[in-house]
Every structure is written in C-alpha cells, then in structure tokens.
C-alpha cells in the first residue's frame, strides 16, 4: 500500500500557477490540473498528490499557504490517498465494501431509526441496542438485489436463498419491514454479521500521527470524527476465527456511529458468479453505476 497526501488549491494568476508547479516539482508530487478561467479572469485548480509524511505535508502546506493562506488540513483541502497494490488485494482475507455503485438511489435510508447516545461528550448517536428492522420499499430489491440501508447490506429473498445454499458463515438474516406505494412483491432481508473481529492492530505511525489526532472535530473521548483515518490493519493471529461476514470491533462515524462490515473473498466470488457484481475496481479509481469498490485489509504483527 502506498500512502499519499492529497492537497487541493486554487490560484488566480499565471504567476501563482507557475509557483504552484514549482512546488509540485520541489516535492516530486503529481497533480491533476483544471483551467477554470473565464475570459480575462484567470482561475487554475490543482489537486496535488505527494508522498505522505507529517514533515513533508507540513512543509508543503507551508509553501502553498504563501499563495493561499486559506489552505487548511480539512476535508475540503487535505486528505489521504491509499493506493493499494495488486498484492494487497490477492493476500487480503477480508474486504470492506467502499461502494456498490455510484447511484445515489442505491444508498437508501430506513424510514424508522431509533438512536441512543453513544458518547455523552460529543453526543454522537448509534442505533438502539436490540436490533431494529430496516424499513424500506422492498420493491427496490427487484431491480437492485443488494442495497445499502443505514450502513447495512439488505438483499432480496432470492439472493438470501443463494447465500443459504452456499454455506457462507457468520450471519443472520432479519426480514425488513416494507413501506412503499405498492404492496411488497418480494421479501428483503438485512444481513447481520454474528462475528465481531478483534481490535485492529494499527501501526504506531498512524496512532501518533498529528494529522489524524489533531482534527478539530475529532472527539477526545470516543476518538470519532474527522476525515482522516488509518487503513484497516489486523494482526494475522487475530484472524484465525474469521467468518464470511464480520463486524469490526471499532465504530466509525457518519450520520450515526456504526460498526463496518468486512466480507470474505468467498462472498465476493459468490456475488461475482451470480452476476450481482459486474466489475470490481480499486479504491479511488473512477467507478460506474454497477462497479463495486473494495478495500483490502492489511497485516501488522506489532500488537
């Protein structure tokens, strides 16, 4: 895995444009460039990718701030790019599903969602313990047999039967509650992993990284919030009891806190064999309406 920092900047003159390109050359960075000029109004946008280390990023941001003192280490200007190599995918026993396609309609939300306080310091919420049923228009599963609903996978009854016959492990199925204009023509089921993985084994360089730790909206108590995260790292000794569907021990924050689902290669292969996945692309590659983006996990034995 190759880690890069991604920094965005816009400048408004050819002189500043040349200065940005000098900085790109200085740090041996790459950049995407877009000329947004209109008439005599010059407007140049750069997305700069540079090999990451806190020292390099601090120096690069300092140079760029001389051109635009509004550049900050926030989501609008600064992020990480995890460029996974082929060996990362072939050796990974588990994958996080980054996306199942870029159609906004695939990421539907339940119409019933009861939340409880997860952290009393930052007031972040999670779904109430006890297991709520997703409430969706089940007929959406006719065209799209796999959906994301409230960060969970919901599948059609036909696919649920195929999962059962495949012998895949580590999950229960919970029938969803239908709410739509028409009576439900199909049944839908939420996949709930029954296996929770051990805590991750994140390298110290990330645990001690100032850009991860010092984000303004990161809670000092629950450590959630922000836009900068380490990749998924595990000690291989902790992966001896994995199932085909697994929850992470850690919670992630989005519109509410939740545990991520990590699936095995057997699940990926089944979905591919049954033509539910047309194409798999790597993280940050451009994806189409039916492309799945999978993120592999990485190994670290220092925990």
């Amino acid at each position: 895995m190759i880690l890069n920092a991604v920094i965005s900047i816009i400048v408004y003159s050819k002189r500043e444009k040349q200065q940005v390109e000098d900085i790109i050359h200085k740090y041996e960075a790459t950049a995407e460039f877009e000329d947004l000029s209109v008439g005599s109004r010059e407007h140049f946008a750069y997305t700069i990718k540079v090999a990451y280390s806190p020292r390099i990023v601090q120096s690069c941001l300092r140079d760029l701030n001389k051109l635009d003192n509004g550049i900050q280490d926030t989501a609008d200007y600064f992020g990480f790019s995890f460029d996974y190599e082929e060996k990362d995918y072939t050796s990974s026993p588990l994958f996080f599903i980054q996306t199942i396609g870029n159609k906004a309609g695939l990421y539907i939300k339940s119409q019933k969602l009861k939340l409880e306080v997860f952290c009393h310091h930052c007031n972040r919420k999670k779904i109430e313990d006890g297991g709520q049923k997703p409430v969706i228009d089940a007929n959406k599963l006719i065209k799209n047999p796999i959906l994301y609903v409230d960060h969970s996978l919901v599948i059609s009854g036909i696919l649920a039967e195929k999962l059962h016959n495949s012998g895949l492990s580590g999950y229960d199925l919970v029938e969803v509650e239908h709410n739509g204009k028409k009576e439900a023509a199909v049944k839908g089921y939420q996949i709930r992993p029954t296996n929770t993985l051990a805590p991750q084994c994140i390298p110290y360089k990330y645990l001690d990284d100032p850009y991860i730790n010092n984000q303004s909206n990161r809670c000092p108590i629950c450590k959630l919030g922000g836009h900068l995260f380490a990749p998924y790292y595990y000690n291989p000794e902790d992966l001896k009891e994995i199932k085909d569907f697994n929850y992470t021990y850690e919670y992630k924050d989005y519109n509410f806190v939740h545990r991520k689902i990590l699936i095995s290669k057997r699940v990926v292969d089944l979905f591919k064999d049954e033509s539910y996945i047309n194409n798999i692309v790597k993280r940050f590659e451009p994806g189409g309406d039916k492309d799945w983006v999978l993120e592999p996990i990485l190994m670290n034995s220092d925990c």
Side-chain angles (χ1 to χ4, degrees):
M1 190 271 296
I2 302 171
L3 176 62
N4 292 288
V6 180
I7 305 168
S8 299
I9 185 172
I10 297 175
V11 292
Y12 300 92
S13 71
K14 286 188 172 66
R15 179 181 62 84
E16 290 180 326
K17 175 178 178 292
Q18 183 58 55
Q19 289 175 305
V20 172
E21 291 177 357
D22 290 342
I23 292 170
I24 293 169
H25 178 74
K26 174 182 177 180
Y27 293 99
E28 299 180 344
T30 60
E32 295 179 7
F33 168 74
E34 190 172 3
D35 187 345
L36 303 175
S37 303
V38 178
S40 61
R41 299 179 64 181
E42 296 176 331
H43 190 166
F44 309 109
Y46 287 88
T47 302
I48 302 167
K49 183 183 287 189
V50 59
Y52 177 77
S53 78
R55 180 186 60 80
I56 290 175
V57 168
Q58 184 180 49
S59 180
C60 188
L61 285 173
R62 188 186 304 117
D63 288 347
L64 291 171
N65 269 318
K66 295 174 183 177
L67 303 176
D68 181 356
N69 59 16
I71 294 292
Q72 304 290 331
D73 54 348
T74 63
D76 292 335
Y77 300 99
F78 173 65
F80 289 159
S81 170
F82 304 115
D83 294 333
Y84 295 102
E85 301 174 86
E86 189 62 35
K87 64 181 181 180
D88 297 324
Y89 285 90
T90 56
S91 64
S92 179
L94 296 172
F95 298 90
F96 169 61
I97 306 171
Q98 184 75 15
T99 172
I100 59 174
N102 58 15
K103 286 184 178 178
L106 293 180
Y107 297 87
I108 61 179
K109 295 181 180 180
S110 174
Q111 295 173 348
K112 285 183 182 178
L113 201 61
K114 295 180 181 179
L115 301 177
E116 62 183 11
V117 175
F118 174 78
C119 175
H120 289 278
H121 182 82
C122 63
N123 203 36
R124 284 184 166 83
K125 307 274 197 312
K126 72 169 185 174
I127 293 180
E128 282 185 354
D129 289 331
Q132 294 177 234
K133 285 186 176 182
V135 181
I136 68 168
D137 182 352
N139 290 325
K140 290 181 180 291
L141 292 162
I142 298 173
K143 185 177 181 180
N144 299 294
I146 306 176
L147 295 170
Y148 260 136
V149 182
D150 299 329
H151 306 287
S152 295
L153 284 173
V154 171
I155 60 176
S156 67
I158 294 174
L159 182 50
E161 184 176 354
K162 291 179 178 179
L163 277 184
H164 175 74
N165 294 335
S166 71
L168 293 173
S169 64
Y171 72 96
D172 285 331
L173 293 179
V174 178
E175 187 173 348
V176 303
E177 184 178 332
H178 171 70
N179 188 323
K181 294 181 180 179
K182 299 180 180 179
E183 184 178 347
V186 296
K187 290 186 177 181
Y189 297 89
Q190 179 193 13
I191 298 176
R192 288 188 181 169
T194 56
N195 187 52
T196 301
L197 298 169
Q200 291 184 49
C201 184
I202 298 175
Y204 183 76
K205 66 180 180 180
Y206 293 117
L207 296 176
D208 195 44
D209 187 284
Y211 286 97
I212 291 179
N213 291 329
N214 299 331
Q215 300 176 75
S216 59
N217 58 346
R218 186 177 174 89
C219 177
I221 304 302
C222 69
K223 306 298 184 183
L224 294 181
H227 67 287
L228 300 176
F229 309 97
Y232 292 91
Y233 273 96
Y234 285 92
N235 187 318
E237 290 297 312
D238 292 330
L239 297 179
K240 293 180 177 179
E241 301 299 326
I242 63 171
K243 304 295 184 181
D244 292 303
F245 293 91
N246 308 268
Y247 276 132
T248 60
Y249 175 84
E250 296 79 10
Y251 286 88
K252 293 288 187 179
D253 176 38
Y254 189 56
N255 47 4
F256 56 86
V257 304
H258 60 283
R259 285 185 161 120
K260 296 285 192 179
I261 298 175
L262 300 184
I263 62 173
S264 72
K265 190 174 183 300
R266 291 178 64 201
V267 179
V268 177
D269 289 342
L270 173 69
F271 289 168
K272 285 174 62 178
D273 292 344
E274 296 292 339
S275 299
Y276 293 108
I277 302 176
N278 290 344
N279 189 36
I280 296 176
V281 298
K282 296 179 182 178
R283 190 178 180 190
F284 297 120
E285 289 181 358
D289 286 347
K290 295 293 185 180
D291 289 342
W292 283 47
V293 182
L294 299 180
E295 184 177 343
I297 67 170
L298 303 173
M299 300 301 167
N300 177 35
S301 300
D302 294 335
C303 291

